Amino acid sequence: MKLISYLQKEEDLIRAKEAGLEEVIIGTDVFSRFGSLTIDKANDLAKKCLALKIRPVFEWDVLMVQTKFEIIVPKLNEVDFNSFKAIRVQDPGAFGYILEHYPNLPIQLNLETGNHNLIGIQRWIDSAKERVERIILSIEFPKAKLEEYITKLKVSVEFLGLGRILLFYTPRSLLGPLVFDHDDSEVVSVHNRPIEVYGSSEESPHSGFPIIENRHGTFMFNIKDHCLLENFLELQQMNLAYCRIDLRFVEQNTNLLKDIQTLNDSFDSELAKSIKEKYPAKVIRGYYQVNKSDALFSKLKNKRTLRNDENYLGDILEVNKKKHLGLLIRNESRQLKVGDQIEIRTPDGKVKNTVIHELKNSKHESLEEASNGQVVFFSHVSGVSVKSSVYLA
């Protein structure tokens, strides 16, 4: 397993060299979500990487609408791709553009927010006709699934070993309007000096969410960083090719990257714990052990609206106050007849009982009975809302 990390300034290159890294990612302010380098500086750093026998990779991971795409694509001409050995892209438009216009440039495809299924991932790889040298997978994969995909995919896989967890992104400016007073010069300054704040939730006790706004939009991160230092041995044993160490958002001590490389060269659980304790942010392993993010879905369902087939008739589709209720009958074994007594259970827990004195269809024609698939109307009952369930009493 090889480690890779980011270069944001010249000092990072020195740390990468001292740590023995063989590859680094270089992001610019125009093409990278969190890059801060100008294109000229990125070109210069790439040349210095080559001189130190470190493989530089150009990052183009911003997501773009068409207007933004058309603005930044011409700037690719300023990038010295003779000095970069590969490009990593996330936006399908960027992926397609590189395939068409840079036929000799290897591609690292970032699918962290893209396809999570094997068929979809393989389709991306096949579409590039051997141009994809690496796939970056989402940290939402638990280790069993990660190992399965590493085995089945024919290209190298990269996984985040240490770094922030992105929770939310919008291309919109969410912080600027709160900070600036419609001063265009200040808004422009966001391009050069991103806004960084910590957010809290009004609906829960959670607080301390790092939020960044820069020229590409607004990003919110988990309060804890993703950390698999103590699982390096497992990652190596499952033949993970590349483990990414993202230190762009923390104050680095001079030995942090070097210590992590030492851990990778010779795993030591005590060293892993020591590095984790020194890391300047709280950490979690995310979904690595198991992903139970869908476990809450059943609890989120309104049990009052869950269907009970005994005497179930159907659901209220329309409420016309003081006039009628519209009911869709959805039970093949039940019929509704004039004179029947029904029970209506509303989503907010109320139970209403009424007797059917008159039934009509959508043409306002009177009916004596109605069956599965029919929409029928009967007298309005106060307090009943759409999505209420109807049962024969």
Side-chain angles (χ1 to χ4, degrees), residues 99-125:
L99 281 176
E100 182 178 352
H101 296 278
Y102 294 84
N104 299 316
L105 191 61
I107 298 172
Q108 298 177 2
L109 183 58
N110 187 340
L111 292 179
E112 287 182 308
T113 58
N115 285 86
H116 283 37
N117 60 80
L118 196 60
I119 294 175
I121 295 170
Q122 192 59 55
R123 182 61 61 89
W124 281 112
I125 296 171

Short mmCIF file of all heavy atoms in Angstrom, two decimals, residues 99-125:
data_model
loop_
_atom_site.label_atom_id
_atom_site.label_comp_id
_atom_site.label_asym_id
_atom_site.label_seq_id
_atom_site.Cartn_x
_atom_site.Cartn_y
_atom_site.Cartn_z
N LEU A 99 -10.80 12.78 -21.69
CA LEU A 99 -10.73 11.63 -22.60
C LEU A 99 -10.57 12.09 -24.05
O LEU A 99 -9.80 11.52 -24.83
CB LEU A 99 -12.01 10.78 -22.47
CG LEU A 99 -12.11 9.83 -21.29
CD1 LEU A 99 -13.47 9.15 -21.27
CD2 LEU A 99 -11.00 8.79 -21.33
N GLU A 100 -11.31 13.14 -24.38
CA GLU A 100 -11.33 13.59 -25.78
C GLU A 100 -10.11 14.44 -26.16
O GLU A 100 -9.56 14.28 -27.25
CB GLU A 100 -12.61 14.38 -26.04
CG GLU A 100 -12.74 14.86 -27.48
CD GLU A 100 -14.05 15.60 -27.72
OE1 GLU A 100 -14.91 15.60 -26.81
OE2 GLU A 100 -14.21 16.17 -28.83
N HIS A 101 -9.72 15.32 -25.24
CA HIS A 101 -8.71 16.32 -25.62
C HIS A 101 -7.31 16.03 -25.11
O HIS A 101 -6.35 16.68 -25.54
CB HIS A 101 -9.16 17.70 -25.12
CG HIS A 101 -10.44 18.17 -25.76
ND1 HIS A 101 -10.47 18.77 -27.00
CD2 HIS A 101 -11.73 18.11 -25.34
CE1 HIS A 101 -11.72 19.08 -27.32
NE2 HIS A 101 -12.51 18.68 -26.32
N TYR A 102 -7.16 15.12 -24.18
CA TYR A 102 -5.82 14.78 -23.66
C TYR A 102 -5.66 13.26 -23.72
O TYR A 102 -5.65 12.57 -22.69
CB TYR A 102 -5.64 15.32 -22.23
CG TYR A 102 -5.63 16.82 -22.16
CD1 TYR A 102 -6.82 17.54 -22.11
CD2 TYR A 102 -4.43 17.53 -22.18
CE1 TYR A 102 -6.82 18.93 -22.06
CE2 TYR A 102 -4.42 18.92 -22.13
CZ TYR A 102 -5.62 19.61 -22.07
OH TYR A 102 -5.61 21.00 -22.03
N PRO A 103 -5.52 12.72 -24.92
CA PRO A 103 -5.58 11.26 -25.12
C PRO A 103 -4.44 10.48 -24.49
O PRO A 103 -4.55 9.26 -24.36
CB PRO A 103 -5.56 11.12 -26.65
CG PRO A 103 -4.92 12.37 -27.14
CD PRO A 103 -5.33 13.45 -26.19
N ASN A 104 -3.38 11.15 -24.09
CA ASN A 104 -2.25 10.43 -23.51
C ASN A 104 -2.10 10.62 -22.01
O ASN A 104 -1.12 10.17 -21.42
CB ASN A 104 -0.95 10.88 -24.21
CG ASN A 104 -0.98 10.59 -25.69
OD1 ASN A 104 -1.38 9.51 -26.11
ND2 ASN A 104 -0.58 11.57 -26.50
N LEU A 105 -3.07 11.30 -21.40
CA LEU A 105 -2.95 11.61 -19.98
C LEU A 105 -3.72 10.57 -19.15
O LEU A 105 -4.94 10.45 -19.28
CB LEU A 105 -3.51 13.01 -19.71
CG LEU A 105 -3.25 13.64 -18.35
CD1 LEU A 105 -1.75 13.80 -18.10
CD2 LEU A 105 -3.96 14.99 -18.25
N PRO A 106 -3.03 9.82 -18.28
CA PRO A 106 -3.73 8.85 -17.42
C PRO A 106 -4.72 9.57 -16.50
O PRO A 106 -4.49 10.71 -16.08
CB PRO A 106 -2.60 8.20 -16.63
CG PRO A 106 -1.37 8.41 -17.46
CD PRO A 106 -1.57 9.74 -18.11
N ILE A 107 -5.82 8.88 -16.19
CA ILE A 107 -6.90 9.48 -15.40
C ILE A 107 -7.09 8.73 -14.09
O ILE A 107 -7.12 7.51 -14.06
CB ILE A 107 -8.23 9.45 -16.20
CG1 ILE A 107 -8.10 10.28 -17.48
CG2 ILE A 107 -9.38 9.96 -15.35
CD1 ILE A 107 -9.28 10.15 -18.41
N GLN A 108 -7.21 9.50 -13.02
CA GLN A 108 -7.64 8.96 -11.73
C GLN A 108 -9.06 9.46 -11.51
O GLN A 108 -9.28 10.66 -11.38
CB GLN A 108 -6.70 9.42 -10.62
CG GLN A 108 -5.26 8.94 -10.82
CD GLN A 108 -4.30 9.44 -9.76
OE1 GLN A 108 -4.70 10.13 -8.82
NE2 GLN A 108 -3.03 9.08 -9.90
N LEU A 109 -10.01 8.53 -11.47
CA LEU A 109 -11.43 8.91 -11.42
C LEU A 109 -11.93 8.88 -9.98
O LEU A 109 -11.93 7.84 -9.32
CB LEU A 109 -12.25 7.96 -12.29
CG LEU A 109 -13.74 8.26 -12.39
CD1 LEU A 109 -14.00 9.67 -12.92
CD2 LEU A 109 -14.44 7.23 -13.27
N ASN A 110 -12.39 10.05 -9.51
CA ASN A 110 -12.89 10.18 -8.14
C ASN A 110 -14.38 9.86 -8.12
O ASN A 110 -15.20 10.64 -8.61
CB ASN A 110 -12.64 11.60 -7.64
CG ASN A 110 -12.99 11.76 -6.18
OD1 ASN A 110 -13.74 10.96 -5.61
ND2 ASN A 110 -12.45 12.78 -5.55
N LEU A 111 -14.73 8.72 -7.53
CA LEU A 111 -16.14 8.31 -7.43
C LEU A 111 -16.62 8.36 -5.98
O LEU A 111 -17.56 7.66 -5.60
CB LEU A 111 -16.32 6.90 -7.99
CG LEU A 111 -16.11 6.75 -9.49
CD1 LEU A 111 -16.30 5.30 -9.92
CD2 LEU A 111 -17.07 7.64 -10.27
N GLU A 112 -15.99 9.18 -5.17
CA GLU A 112 -16.39 9.25 -3.76
C GLU A 112 -17.84 9.71 -3.60
O GLU A 112 -18.51 9.32 -2.67
CB GLU A 112 -15.45 10.20 -3.00
CG GLU A 112 -14.07 9.61 -2.77
CD GLU A 112 -13.18 10.53 -1.99
OE1 GLU A 112 -13.06 11.70 -2.39
OE2 GLU A 112 -12.58 10.10 -1.00
N THR A 113 -18.29 10.56 -4.51
CA THR A 113 -19.69 10.98 -4.46
C THR A 113 -20.45 10.46 -5.68
O THR A 113 -21.52 10.95 -6.00
CB THR A 113 -19.79 12.52 -4.41
OG1 THR A 113 -19.13 13.06 -5.56
CG2 THR A 113 -19.15 13.07 -3.16
N GLY A 114 -19.88 9.48 -6.35
CA GLY A 114 -20.51 8.95 -7.56
C GLY A 114 -20.99 7.53 -7.36
O GLY A 114 -21.54 7.19 -6.32
N ASN A 115 -20.73 6.70 -8.36
CA ASN A 115 -21.24 5.33 -8.34
C ASN A 115 -20.70 4.53 -7.15
O ASN A 115 -19.52 4.58 -6.84
CB ASN A 115 -20.86 4.60 -9.63
CG ASN A 115 -21.71 5.06 -10.79
OD1 ASN A 115 -21.41 6.05 -11.43
ND2 ASN A 115 -22.80 4.37 -11.02
N HIS A 116 -21.61 3.77 -6.52
CA HIS A 116 -21.22 2.89 -5.42
C HIS A 116 -21.43 1.42 -5.79
O HIS A 116 -21.14 0.55 -4.98
CB HIS A 116 -22.05 3.20 -4.18
CG HIS A 116 -21.60 4.43 -3.45
ND1 HIS A 116 -21.13 5.55 -4.09
CD2 HIS A 116 -21.53 4.72 -2.13
CE1 HIS A 116 -20.82 6.46 -3.20
NE2 HIS A 116 -21.04 5.98 -2.00
N ASN A 117 -21.94 1.16 -6.97
CA ASN A 117 -22.18 -0.24 -7.34
C ASN A 117 -21.13 -0.68 -8.35
O ASN A 117 -20.62 0.11 -9.16
CB ASN A 117 -23.59 -0.43 -7.91
CG ASN A 117 -23.82 0.41 -9.14
OD1 ASN A 117 -23.40 0.04 -10.23
ND2 ASN A 117 -24.47 1.56 -8.99
N LEU A 118 -20.84 -1.98 -8.32
CA LEU A 118 -19.74 -2.51 -9.11
C LEU A 118 -19.98 -2.34 -10.61
O LEU A 118 -19.05 -2.02 -11.37
CB LEU A 118 -19.55 -3.99 -8.77
CG LEU A 118 -18.24 -4.62 -9.20
CD1 LEU A 118 -17.05 -3.92 -8.57
CD2 LEU A 118 -18.24 -6.10 -8.84
N ILE A 119 -21.23 -2.54 -11.03
CA ILE A 119 -21.53 -2.42 -12.47
C ILE A 119 -21.28 -1.00 -12.94
O ILE A 119 -20.67 -0.77 -14.00
CB ILE A 119 -23.00 -2.83 -12.74
CG1 ILE A 119 -23.20 -4.31 -12.44
CG2 ILE A 119 -23.38 -2.51 -14.18
CD1 ILE A 119 -24.63 -4.77 -12.57
N GLY A 120 -21.74 -0.01 -12.15
CA GLY A 120 -21.53 1.38 -12.54
C GLY A 120 -20.05 1.76 -12.57
O GLY A 120 -19.59 2.43 -13.50
N ILE A 121 -19.32 1.33 -11.56
CA ILE A 121 -17.88 1.65 -11.51
C ILE A 121 -17.16 1.03 -12.70
O ILE A 121 -16.34 1.67 -13.37
CB ILE A 121 -17.28 1.13 -10.18
CG1 ILE A 121 -17.88 1.89 -9.01
CG2 ILE A 121 -15.76 1.27 -10.19
CD1 ILE A 121 -17.54 1.29 -7.65
N GLN A 122 -17.48 -0.23 -12.98
CA GLN A 122 -16.82 -0.91 -14.09
C GLN A 122 -17.16 -0.26 -15.42
O GLN A 122 -16.33 -0.19 -16.34
CB GLN A 122 -17.22 -2.39 -14.12
CG GLN A 122 -16.39 -3.25 -15.05
CD GLN A 122 -14.92 -3.22 -14.71
OE1 GLN A 122 -14.52 -3.50 -13.59
NE2 GLN A 122 -14.07 -2.86 -15.69
N ARG A 123 -18.40 0.27 -15.53
CA ARG A 123 -18.80 0.93 -16.78
C ARG A 123 -17.95 2.18 -17.01
O ARG A 123 -17.57 2.48 -18.14
CB ARG A 123 -20.29 1.28 -16.71
CG ARG A 123 -20.83 1.93 -17.99
CD ARG A 123 -20.68 0.99 -19.18
NE ARG A 123 -21.41 -0.23 -19.00
CZ ARG A 123 -22.69 -0.41 -19.37
NH1 ARG A 123 -23.35 0.57 -19.90
NH2 ARG A 123 -23.27 -1.58 -19.19
N TRP A 124 -17.68 2.94 -15.93
CA TRP A 124 -16.81 4.11 -16.07
C TRP A 124 -15.43 3.69 -16.57
O TRP A 124 -14.85 4.32 -17.46
CB TRP A 124 -16.66 4.82 -14.72
CG TRP A 124 -17.81 5.69 -14.33
CD1 TRP A 124 -18.69 5.47 -13.31
CD2 TRP A 124 -18.23 6.91 -14.95
NE1 TRP A 124 -19.62 6.47 -13.25
CE2 TRP A 124 -19.37 7.37 -14.25
CE3 TRP A 124 -17.76 7.66 -16.03
CZ2 TRP A 124 -20.03 8.54 -14.58
CZ3 TRP A 124 -18.43 8.84 -16.37
CH2 TRP A 124 -19.55 9.26 -15.65
N ILE A 125 -14.91 2.64 -15.96
CA ILE A 125 -13.57 2.17 -16.35
C ILE A 125 -13.56 1.74 -17.81
O ILE A 125 -12.65 2.11 -18.58
CB ILE A 125 -13.13 1.01 -15.43
CG1 ILE A 125 -13.01 1.50 -13.98
CG2 ILE A 125 -11.82 0.41 -15.91
CD1 ILE A 125 -12.81 0.40 -12.96
#
